[in-house]
């Protein structure tokens, strides 16, 4: 037990252990689990949640929370799909559509950040209110699900770039962004803002700018997630991504980032997202009746949370 | 001047003005909106949200980022339990009511234990609990709606009991009075504000902060179960996601009513007015005959506007 106590603050080690256990169970239940195509298909399924969880980590580190990211995913999806269709659906149109989608994500994050940091609003209620606005706008852009994306889009997403599966390229790029950000002063300053806001302010940190940047990152990673989901579904859906925000928050907390802010990191969140994905997969392959899946998934997540807290508690 | 500013920032006043303005707007847009029976109808809907928000209000007042996101699932559970226990029989109403409230109280207590003794953040604990209850409901019901409200319960919620006012409104009025008395006049009420505003100081004065917080979550669950009974009385039958629509509105009613999400300050009277304002806003937006997306955008925008008035956090520069 003393050995476990030394983990203090590094809940992600526990999460990693949980992930390994889940991987072993899944490998036993699903014989072809380690085949490259199955690994790739699993990682593809988990990718949107991983991306949203990375973005959410920055917001939570800064002591805020972003409930609107699910609505951002929907808005980015419908804007991208509509822009691509409006421009004729060729290669240039796809590129412009992707840029437009990322622009929408970053802008939504900017709006959240400006309202919360600039006007001193409470993040939970504010991002809930903006999520209503964002999903309203998504329904305005595209009232009904439909409007397919051109074939090159989803073919590229399911295919590979220079011999490497596109999904892995996206993972690497996302990890690189997270790794670079982790070495920048930004990460330390953001933790200071989330840890002790008054002290951070008194040492002269630009709180507003840091918090707005965190929300923009969340919006941007939400956009990445949305573009990936669009690659999977190959069509527009104004109701896409509704459960993503809550799952991402669970992933971030599972990964050891404190909801109070100031402690944690993106590595843990990625592990947390994978754990949540693997729980779903294990339950599926354990052949549990469909109606028990939500219950068991909920119980496991609660148990994992309680376990992580107990183990790292000082 | 500063007295004027203080007055203009009083949540009770703002909610009351908003309620009045919305009634006038509704009457202008669609004559008959502010007719007596219409108002009673809107108040009935507000009462259901208001009772759910009572539980939300308690956990938020208790501080430590208190919030109960499982309240929607508890409402659904309460409705399903009550519906199955009653199954259309008036005689079983008391038992149904007790069962729903007891189940809610037990779930809330588990939330409270997780939050205090395992130190799981309330947002995550109650979110996880929401998943567990929803999963449990799927298992229990196999996705098929079951259970019926007893006629007397439906009459209690929907029909006039006295002077055209249904019984549920009298019950809600009683809850408003009791909550105000409890929060402002009893030792337990004061200790809620004490642990909500400065928990360490409260513990040093000898308050059992943890036990109080567990009880607050238990009460939130109890109010959730209570709401579930009202919901099935309102709709007649229950389905397993019937409570979902109350989760965030219950938080918003509390915020509009002037209770700080940081805990330790606020009142249930404000929350009750907040619930009425929220329901009125939704109703006016429906009457405006806007498309769904337009209603959504205006609804979200109005919430932001209300927060601009008094939902703001303290300035760091003093």
């Amino acid at each position: 037990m003393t050995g476990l106590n030394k983990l203090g603050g590094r809940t992600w080690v526990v999460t990693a252990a949980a992930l390994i256990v889940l991987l072993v169970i899944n490998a036993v239940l699903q014989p072809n689990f380690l085949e490259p195509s199955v690994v790739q298909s699993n990682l593809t399924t988990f990718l949107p949640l991983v991306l949203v969880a990375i973005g959410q980590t920055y917001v939570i580190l800064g002591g805020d929370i972003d409930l609107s990211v699910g609505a951002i995913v929907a808005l980015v999806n419908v804007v991208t799909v509509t822009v691509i269709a409006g421009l004729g659906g060729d290669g240039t149109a796809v590129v412009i559509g992707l840029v437009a989608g990322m622009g929408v994500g970053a802008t939504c994050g900017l709006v959240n950040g400006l309202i919360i940091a600039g006007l001193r609003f409470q993040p939970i209620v504010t991002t809930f209110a903006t999520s209503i606005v964002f999903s309203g706008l998504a329904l305005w852009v595209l009232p009904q699900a439909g409007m397919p994306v051109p074939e090159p889009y989803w073919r590229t997403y399911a295919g590979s770039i220079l011999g490497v599966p596109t999904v892995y390229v996206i993972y690497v790029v996302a990890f690189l962004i997270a790794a670079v950000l982790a070495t920048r002063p930004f990460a330390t300053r953001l933790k200071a803002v989330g840890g002790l806001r008054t002290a951070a302010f008194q040492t002269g940190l630009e709180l507003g700018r840091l918090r707005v940047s965190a929300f923009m990152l969340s919006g941007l990673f939400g956009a990445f997630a949305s573009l990936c989901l669009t690659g999977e579904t190959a069509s527009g859906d104004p109701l896409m991504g509704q459960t993503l925000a809550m799952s991402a928050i669970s992933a971030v907390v599972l990964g050891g980032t404190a909801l109070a802010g100031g402690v944690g990191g993106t590595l843990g969140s990625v592990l947390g997202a994978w754990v949540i994905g693997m729980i779903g997969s294990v339950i599926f392959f354990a052949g549990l009746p469909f109606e028990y899946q939500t219950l068991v998934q909920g119980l496991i997540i609660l148990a994992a949370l309680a376990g992580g807290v107990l183990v790292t508690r000082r | 001047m500063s007295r004027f500013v203080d007055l203009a920032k009083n949540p009770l006043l703002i909610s009351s003005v908003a309620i009045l303005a919305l009634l006038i707007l509704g009457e202008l847009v669609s004559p008959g909106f502010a007719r007596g029976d219409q108002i009673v109808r809107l108040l009935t809907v507000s009462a259901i949200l208001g009772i759910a928000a009572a539980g939300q209000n308690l956990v938020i007042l208790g501080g430590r980022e208190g919030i109960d996101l499982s309240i929607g699932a508890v409402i659904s559970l309460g409705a399903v339990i009550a519906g199955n226990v009653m199954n259309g029989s008036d005689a079983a109403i008391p038992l149904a009511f007790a069962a729903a409230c007891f189940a809610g109280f037990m779930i809330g207590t588990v939330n409270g234990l997780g939050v205090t003794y395992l130190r799981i953040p309330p947002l995550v604990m109650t979110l996880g609990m929401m998943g567990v209850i929803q999963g449990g409901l799927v298992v229990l019901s196999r996705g098929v709606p079951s259970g019926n409200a007893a006629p007397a319960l439906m009459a209690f919620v929907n029909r006039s009991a006295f002077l055209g006012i249904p019984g549920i409104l009298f019950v809600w009025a009683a809850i408003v009075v009791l909550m105000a008395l409890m929060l402002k006049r009893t030792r337990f009420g004061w200790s809620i504000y004490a642990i909500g505003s400065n928990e360490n100081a409260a513990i040093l004065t000898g308050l059992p902060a943890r036990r109080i917080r567990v009880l607050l979550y238990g009460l939130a669950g109890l109010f959730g179960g209570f709401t579930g009974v009202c919901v099935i009385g309102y709709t007649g039958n229950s389905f397993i996601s019937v409570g979902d629509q109350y989760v965030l509105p219950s938080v918003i009613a509390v915020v509009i009513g002037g209770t700080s999400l940081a805990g330790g300050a606020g009142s249930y009277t404000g929350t009750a007015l907040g619930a009425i304002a929220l329901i009125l806003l939704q109703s006016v937006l429906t009457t405006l005959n806007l498309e769904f997306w337009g209603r959504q955008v205006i609804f979200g925008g109005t919430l932001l506007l209300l927060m601009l008035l008094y939902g703001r956090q303290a300035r760091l520069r003093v």
Side-chain angles (χ1 to χ4, degrees), chain A residues 1-147:
Chain A
M1 202 56 206
T2 46
L4 284 174
N5 283 340
K6 281 184 191 156
L7 286 172
R10 271 176 289 168
T11 319
W12 67 266
V13 180
V14 183
T15 314
L19 183 60
I20 291 170
V21 172
L22 284 167
L23 287 173
V24 171
I25 297 177
N26 204 336
V28 172
L29 292 172
Q30 188 190 2
N32 60 356
F33 177 66
L34 291 172
E35 272 176 32
S37 65
V38 176
V39 171
Q40 187 182 335
S41 121
N42 274 330
L43 285 172
T44 308
T45 313
F46 306 157
L47 181 55
L49 181 59
V50 168
L51 293 172
V52 173
I54 293 178
Q56 186 75 256
T57 311
Y58 297 110
V59 175
I60 293 182
L61 275 181
D64 295 313
I65 200 158
D66 185 359
L67 296 180
S68 72
V69 68
I72 295 179
V73 166
L75 185 56
V76 169
N77 163 268
V78 294
V79 167
T80 304
V81 170
T82 313
V83 166
I84 293 178
L87 292 175
D90 57 358
T92 337
V94 170
V95 173
I96 295 177
L98 293 179
V99 173
M102 288 186 238
V104 167
T107 310
C108 291
L110 180 68
V111 170
N112 280 334
L114 286 180
I115 296 178
I116 289 164
L119 295 176
R120 305 195 310 273
F121 277 24
Q122 288 151 333
I124 293 186
V125 184
T126 306
T127 51
F128 173 62
T130 56
S131 80
I132 299 178
V133 175
F134 296 155
S135 23
L137 291 175
L139 283 167
W140 172 59
V141 174
L142 189 72
Q144 274 167 348
M147 194 176 288

Side-chain angles (χ1 to χ4, degrees), chain A residues 119-120 128 136 305 309 313, chain B residues 117-118 124 252 293 312-313:
Chain A
L119 295 176
R120 305 195 310 273
F128 173 62
L305 286 170
V309 173
R313 176 166 150 180
Chain B
Y117 291 95
L118 296 179
V124 179
I252 289 173
W293 72 266
R312 297 171 68 186
Q313 292 166 323

Side-chain angles (χ1 to χ4, degrees), chain A residues 65 119-122 125-126 128 132 136 139-140 207 246 253 259 291 294-295 298-299 305-306 309-310 313, chain B residues 117-119 121 123-124 127 132 135-136 138-139 248 252 261 292-293 296 299 304 307-308 311-313 316:
Chain A
I65 200 158
L119 295 176
R120 305 195 310 273
F121 277 24
Q122 288 151 333
V125 184
T126 306
F128 173 62
I132 299 178
L139 283 167
W140 172 59
L207 259 67
M246 292 303 191
V253 175
L259 267 188
E291 58 256 35
T294 338
L295 176 62
L299 282 174
L305 286 170
V309 173
L310 279 181
R313 176 166 150 180
Chain B
Y117 291 95
L118 296 179
R119 292 191 220 157
L123 188 86
V124 179
L127 192 65
V132 171
V138 175
V139 173
L248 288 158
I252 289 173
L261 276 183
F292 181 70
W293 72 266
Q296 292 282 88
F299 184 55
L304 291 173
M307 297 202 31
L308 186 63
R312 297 171 68 186
Q313 292 166 323
L316 284 174

